[in-house]
């Protein structure tokens, strides 16, 4: 009995020592991180936006407004150190985006890029962030490559991507009989990615793609593209573009009477509330689209959006809401760890569940994709809208594990197979 009791006591003592050791190690790790402190005694956030081009209405000044709101709501300081925001226009040119990112990281002491508008510009800035070992978060671009073959340990894709958009919208159209497609595709990385992803979804569901036509960004005349789509006989015309290009394509479709016969429908694969506002409900009514956020979803979204409206004089889109949310995640990670060190902050961000007005039970996967629910909306008819910006009807909610590319299919080298 004595021997058994002695062994029991020894085991309990060993367990207690091990627990103390783990606690000490954890405390030591936290202390070590805190010793790193805030570099240059300031937390500097950068944004590379489209302030003068085709994306300016959806990924321009409005994003800067949302990030500044987050900084202000945080009190303008984190752990006693000032938070600064810098932003610039990359003119939708990849070389300018890369050069500005490099300049900011090297000489302006920017700690993190928390958005880059546009896919081609985003990919160029991503490579600079990878080289400089800096945090980069994306809300504006959609290209899936951010979390597949070009994924980086310091990169997060936050609001949406081409897979989630095409997956949700295309499946809804297919369910309603839209089994033949023709694409109007923006001739750059984002458009190609959106068309490819939608094509895969369509073919997997037994549908077919009859063809596609590419158009330059910021195209002034869509008449020839609409005529080609019309003559294809496809039941669905998929708009693999965004911003002003999407608005102009829909207006041209109306002018040419593409939708009057009822034989063809438009599918906006990336549309924002800004686009519906620009088009107007008479032309946009009935469109199906997917988004990660809508200002009138619930009391939380309404409360934040009304504050945003007071500053921007328009309701926010999912890019702007995501930019606020991801900025708060970044600043809270710095507050919790006591440092702006890249590895430490990124580790904390990836370990933190996202529960705010933008996303519930959101989480950042190993490939850098922040997964969350997506929503399928239908644009209201004019007589259904009760107030300005009252544009969407919620058709359905798609859970995160069904909306985004399954991790098992990811080609990201960071994902353990």
């Amino acid at each position: 009995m004595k021997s058994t009791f002695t062994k029991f006591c020894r085991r309990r003592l060993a367990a207690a020592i091990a627990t103390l050791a783990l606690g000490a190690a954890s405390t030591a790790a936290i202390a070590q991180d805190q010793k790193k402190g805030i570099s240059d005694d300031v937390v500097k956030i950068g944004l590379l936006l489209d302030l003068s081009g085709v994306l300016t209405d959806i990924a321009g000044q409005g994003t800067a407004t949302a990030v500044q709101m987050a900084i202000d709501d945080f009190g303008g300081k984190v752990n006693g150190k000032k938070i600064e925001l810098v932003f610039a226009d990359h003119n939708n040119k990849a070389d300018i985006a890369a050069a500005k990112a490099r300049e900011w990281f090297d000489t302006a002491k920017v700690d993190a890029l928390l958005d880059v508008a546009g896919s081609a510009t985003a990919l160029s800035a991503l490579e600079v962030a990878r080289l400089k070992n800096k945090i980069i978060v994306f809300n504006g671009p959609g290209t899936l490559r951010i979390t597949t073959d070009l994924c980086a340990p310091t990169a997060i894709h936050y609001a949406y991507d081409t897979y989630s958009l095409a997956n949700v919208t295309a499946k809804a159209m297919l369910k309603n009989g839209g089994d033949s497609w023709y694409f109007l595709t923006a001739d750059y990385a984002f458009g190609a990615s959106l068309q490819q992803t939608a094509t895969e979804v369509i073919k997997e569901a037994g549908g077919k793609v009859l063809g596609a036509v590419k158009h330059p960004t910021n195209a002034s005349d869509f008449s020839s593209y609409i005529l080609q789509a019309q003559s294809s006989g496809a039941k669905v015309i998929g708009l693999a573009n965004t911003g002003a290009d999407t608005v102009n394509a829909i207006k041209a479709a109306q002018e040419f009477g593409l939708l009057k016969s009822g034989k063809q429908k438009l599918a906006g694969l990336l549309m924002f509330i800004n686009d519906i506002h620009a088009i107007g409900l008479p032309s946009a009514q009935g469109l199906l689209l997917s988004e990660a956020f809508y200002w009138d979803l619930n009391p939380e979204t309404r409360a934040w959006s009304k504050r945003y409206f007071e500053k921007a004089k328009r309701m926010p889109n999912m890019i702007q809401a995501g930019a606020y949310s991801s900025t708060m995640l970044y600043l809270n990670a710095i507050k919790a760890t006591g440092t702006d060190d890249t590895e430490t902050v990124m580790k904390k961000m990836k370990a933190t569940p996202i529960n705010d007005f933008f996303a519930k039970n959101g989480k950042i996967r190993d490939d850098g994709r922040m997964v969350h629910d997506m929503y399928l909306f239908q644009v209201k008819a004019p007589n259904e809208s009760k107030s300005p910006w009252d544009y969407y009807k919620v058709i359905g909610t798609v859970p995160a594990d069904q909306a985004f590319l399954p991790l098992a299919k990811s080609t990201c080298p960071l994902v353990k197979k």
Side-chain angles (χ1 to χ4, degrees):
M1 286 290 294
K2 183 177 181 181
S3 175
T4 301
F5 178 75
T6 301
K7 289 179 180 178
F8 172 77
C9 289
R10 286 174 178 171
R11 285 197 299 268
R12 291 293 298 272
L13 180 61
I17 292 172
T19 301
L20 288 171
L22 285 172
S26 177
T27 301
I30 294 171
Q32 185 63 34
D33 286 339
Q34 290 176 339
K35 281 183 181 180
K36 297 174 184 176
I38 306 297
S39 59
D40 307 303
D41 287 330
V42 63
V43 173
K44 188 174 285 190
I45 294 168
L47 302 171
L48 288 170
L49 307 173
D50 180 359
L51 300 174
S52 57
V54 67
L55 303 176
T56 186
D57 196 39
I58 59 176
Q61 178 62 48
T63 302
T65 298
V67 172
Q68 188 61 56
M69 276 181 65
I71 293 171
D72 293 343
D73 287 349
F74 216 82
K77 292 183 178 181
V78 55
N79 295 343
K81 305 299 182 181
K82 184 180 178 182
I83 307 166
E84 290 184 4
L85 172 64
V86 294
F87 60 94
D89 189 350
H90 55 40
N91 301 116
N92 282 310
K93 294 182 178 179
D95 57 340
I96 293 178
K100 180 57 70 173
R102 191 174 295 108
E103 173 196 334
W104 277 355
F105 289 145
D106 287 347
T107 62
K109 307 301 181 183
V110 167
D111 296 296
L113 282 177
L114 294 191
D115 207 4
V116 183
S119 290
T121 43
L123 294 180
S124 65
L126 171 60
E127 292 311 307
V128 177
R130 187 198 311 273
L131 179 65
K132 302 294 181 180
N133 191 37
K134 294 290 187 176
I135 289 172
I136 187 165
V137 179
F138 299 103
N139 288 284
T143 178
L144 195 61
R145 298 190 71 189
I146 291 170
T147 54
T148 54
D149 61 311
L150 295 182
C151 70
T154 61
I156 296 172
H157 206 177
Y158 203 84
Y160 72 98
D161 58 31
T162 54
Y163 184 93
S164 60
L165 296 173
N167 184 37
V168 173
T169 305
K171 283 183 177 177
M173 298 299 290
L174 287 159
K175 187 177 180 180
N176 291 322
D179 57 0
S180 62
W181 287 63
Y182 187 92
F183 288 99
L184 266 63
T185 303
D187 192 11
Y188 67 109
F190 162 77
S193 177
L194 193 53
Q195 179 185 325
Q196 179 183 348
T197 305
T199 297
E200 291 171 359
V201 171
I202 292 162
K203 290 183 176 179
E204 284 180 6
K208 54 187 176 180
V209 175
L210 303 183
V213 61
K214 292 182 178 180
H215 66 79
T217 57
N218 212 11
S220 58
D221 184 3
F222 274 84
S223 57
S224 65
Y225 310 124
I226 291 297
L227 288 172
Q228 289 180 64
Q230 196 169 29
S231 64
S232 73
K235 295 178 182 177
V236 181
I237 311 302
L239 302 178
N241 49 23
T242 189
D245 286 333
T246 301
V247 172
N248 290 333
I250 292 173
K251 287 181 176 179
Q254 290 287 350
E255 290 172 4
F256 280 84
L258 185 144
L259 306 177
K260 285 184 178 179
S261 68
K263 295 179 180 179
Q264 292 181 305
K265 295 182 179 180
L266 288 177
L269 296 177
L270 175 55
M271 294 193 70
F272 298 88
I273 195 169
N274 313 68
D275 302 324
I276 306 305
H277 190 70
I279 297 166
L281 292 182
S283 295
Q285 62 181 309
L287 277 170
L288 286 178
L289 56 96
S290 57
E291 288 208 55
F293 172 86
Y294 176 47
W295 73 268
D296 202 20
L297 272 177
N298 55 54
E300 282 184 277
T301 59
R302 284 191 286 273
W304 183 84
S305 298
K306 287 177 181 178
R307 290 203 301 122
Y308 179 90
F309 186 89
E310 290 174 1
K311 296 180 179 295
K313 306 308 177 188
R314 62 183 60 198
M315 284 300 178
N317 60 35
M318 63 178 168
I319 291 175
Q320 294 145 5
Y324 178 98
S325 175
S326 55
T327 299
M328 292 297 282
L329 178 68
Y330 173 68
L331 293 175
N332 275 311
I334 292 175
K335 180 180 179 181
T337 60
T339 180
D340 58 4
D341 172 70
T342 294
E343 285 83 2
T344 305
V345 174
M346 181 57 70
K347 183 179 179 181
K348 182 63 178 178
M349 291 173 74
K350 288 184 174 180
T352 304
I354 293 96
N355 284 293
D356 59 11
F357 73 95
F358 177 75
K360 299 298 181 189
N361 300 313
K363 64 178 181 179
I364 300 169
R365 302 189 313 197
D366 291 343
D367 59 351
R369 175 67 258 170
M370 198 281 270
V371 294
H372 49 77
D373 293 349
M374 292 289 291
Y375 303 94
L376 180 67
F377 298 111
Q378 185 174 46
V379 179
K380 291 183 175 182
N383 64 345
E384 295 175 306
S385 178
K386 305 303 180 185
S387 61
W389 299 93
D390 176 22
Y391 295 155
Y392 291 167
K393 291 186 289 187
V394 181
I395 302 300
T397 300
V398 182
D401 61 349
Q402 297 177 31
F404 291 91
L405 180 74
L407 198 57
K409 290 186 178 181
S410 177
T411 57
C412 172
L414 301 174
V415 177
K416 296 177 181 178
K417 299 296 185 180

